[in-house]
Amino acid sequence: MSEFPNGNHDRQGFQIFFEHWILEQNKHLQDLISASKLHKRSNTNTTLAAESTQTGETLVPDNPHLRPLINGVILHYEKYHQAKARYAKQDAVVMLTPPWTSALENAFMWIGGWRPSMAFQLLYSNFIQGLSIGDLGDLSPRQLVQIDNLQERTIREERKITEKMAKHQETVADQSMVQLSHLVTEFMRNEVEEGRSTGGGGLEERVGSVLELKKKGLERILLKADDLRLRTLKAILDVFTPIQAVHFLIAAAELQLRFHDWGKKDANQHVTGGGN
């Protein structure tokens, strides 16, 4: 299932979409792993062939199947953000605290998703620790400079969006909200004293209107955060060779899927009394 459920913009509709998206994410992971293994075998065969001819030249085989695979994974991420943007217009608040992800996952979220700068932490963790992530350990000096510059730009944008969210959150205590909360409190007290409903005098509509403006502000900030997430991923992949992109996408998918699994397991343990 690759599209948002037709005509269904409720929470259950997006949760169904998300569950199918996760299943497809796992399928993409298996395809990426298979492509990585095929590339490794091809390199080995090429090296052996070069050594057998004693030419002293080792040719890296061209794997034209990698680029369509990478593009397919990028498209998969794009579809998620497109569906998320459509749903955010209906309920941005839920997208910031999604019930289809675990409490553990939500605790580490930044404005409804992963923090863009985490992509660089993922890269450097694999690079510095020398983990078995294939060609990610073979980044050239030029690539490292490009990644470093990209990281600086991303962090600057990330901070700007964080500041926008902080300022928007502060509007909960602005003059209009304080005045409105006082009026509603007064109205509720008068109803209790008079023992009857007086209709509210349009207060309910005013509350709804003010809260809608707050939600629209959250939607705009969420879309900015999601745009930075997707742009960061694409920009990092543009720096890599195809096989490096494959290995990075493997690491990203593994971390996301395993953390999702761990979050569900943690939640189930608390429900069954297994957690402390």
Side-chain angles (χ1 to χ4, degrees):
M1 184 177 183
S2 58
E3 297 294 340
F4 192 84
N6 292 331
N8 190 352
H9 291 285
D10 58 14
R11 298 184 186 186
Q12 184 179 9
F14 192 89
Q15 182 162 353
I16 292 172
F17 166 84
F18 178 77
E19 290 171 354
H20 280 83
W21 188 89
I22 284 291
L23 290 175
E24 288 189 356
Q25 179 79 331
N26 188 66
K27 182 179 182 301
H28 281 300
L29 173 59
Q30 302 310 314
D31 291 341
L32 290 165
I33 291 174
S34 296
S36 174
K37 291 180 179 179
L38 178 61
H39 177 84
K40 185 176 181 179
R41 288 197 299 269
S42 297
N43 272 354
T44 300
N45 293 337
T46 299
T47 301
L48 292 174
E51 291 175 349
S52 66
T53 59
Q54 297 182 348
T55 62
E57 180 182 9
T58 301
L59 301 176
V60 177
D62 181 25
N63 289 315
H65 66 285
L66 292 181
R67 181 52 60 186
L69 177 60
I70 295 167
N71 291 340
V73 175
I74 294 174
L75 180 61
H76 184 58
Y77 282 109
E78 288 178 337
K79 287 181 177 178
Y80 174 74
H81 287 290
Q82 289 167 1
K84 191 176 176 184
R86 289 197 295 271
Y87 185 82
K89 294 182 181 297
Q90 304 295 320
D91 197 341
V93 174
V94 173
M95 300 309 298
L96 290 168
T97 55
W100 40 85
T101 49
S102 65
L104 179 64
E105 291 171 277
N106 292 345
F108 285 91
M109 279 189 179
W110 173 79
I111 311 181
W114 55 274
R115 186 179 286 273
S117 55
M118 284 178 59
F120 302 97
Q121 181 62 42
L122 174 65
L123 170 60
Y124 291 135
S125 292
N126 288 301
F127 182 74
I128 295 173
Q129 296 298 325
L131 299 179
S132 180
I133 312 295
D135 290 355
L136 281 184
D138 298 326
L139 293 174
S140 68
R142 181 172 178 272
Q143 286 177 307
L144 289 174
V145 170
Q146 289 178 300
I147 290 294
D148 186 56
N149 292 336
L150 177 59
Q151 182 180 21
E152 290 182 4
R153 294 197 303 272
T154 300
I155 290 176
R156 284 198 299 269
E157 287 193 62
E158 193 178 276
R159 286 174 178 168
K160 289 180 181 179
I161 297 173
T162 297
E163 290 173 1
K164 285 181 180 294
M165 175 60 92
K167 289 180 180 179
H168 188 64
Q169 289 172 329
E170 289 174 358
T171 66
V172 172
D174 64 17
Q175 185 176 358
S176 64
M177 287 290 286
V178 172
Q179 181 183 30
L180 189 57
S181 63
H182 174 69
L183 290 174
V184 171
T185 301
E186 285 291 309
F187 168 74
M188 293 171 63
R189 182 164 54 247
N190 290 337
E191 277 198 327
V192 172
E193 292 176 354
E194 296 178 14
R196 63 185 179 85
S197 175
T198 58
L203 278 178
E204 186 174 345
E205 289 77 9
R206 287 180 61 184
V207 170
S209 178
V210 170
L211 292 182
E212 187 61 28
L213 288 175
K214 305 298 182 188
K215 292 178 182 179
K216 284 296 180 183
L218 291 175
E219 177 194 337
R220 288 192 292 271
I221 296 170
L222 174 62
L223 293 180
K224 285 181 178 294
D226 278 345
D227 176 66
L228 181 58
R229 277 186 269 267
L230 193 57
R231 282 192 291 111
T232 299
L233 173 64
K234 290 180 177 180
I236 288 177
L237 295 178
D238 282 343
V239 174
F240 293 152
T241 64
I243 190 59
Q244 288 172 338
V246 165
H247 290 142
F248 180 81
L249 289 172
I250 288 173
E254 285 180 340
L255 181 60
Q256 179 187 23
L257 292 170
R258 299 297 75 79
F259 201 69
H260 183 62
D261 291 341
W262 297 335
K264 290 194 298 183
K265 182 178 180 181
D266 181 70
N268 290 334
Q269 287 178 338
H270 282 84
V271 169
T272 59
N276 293 323

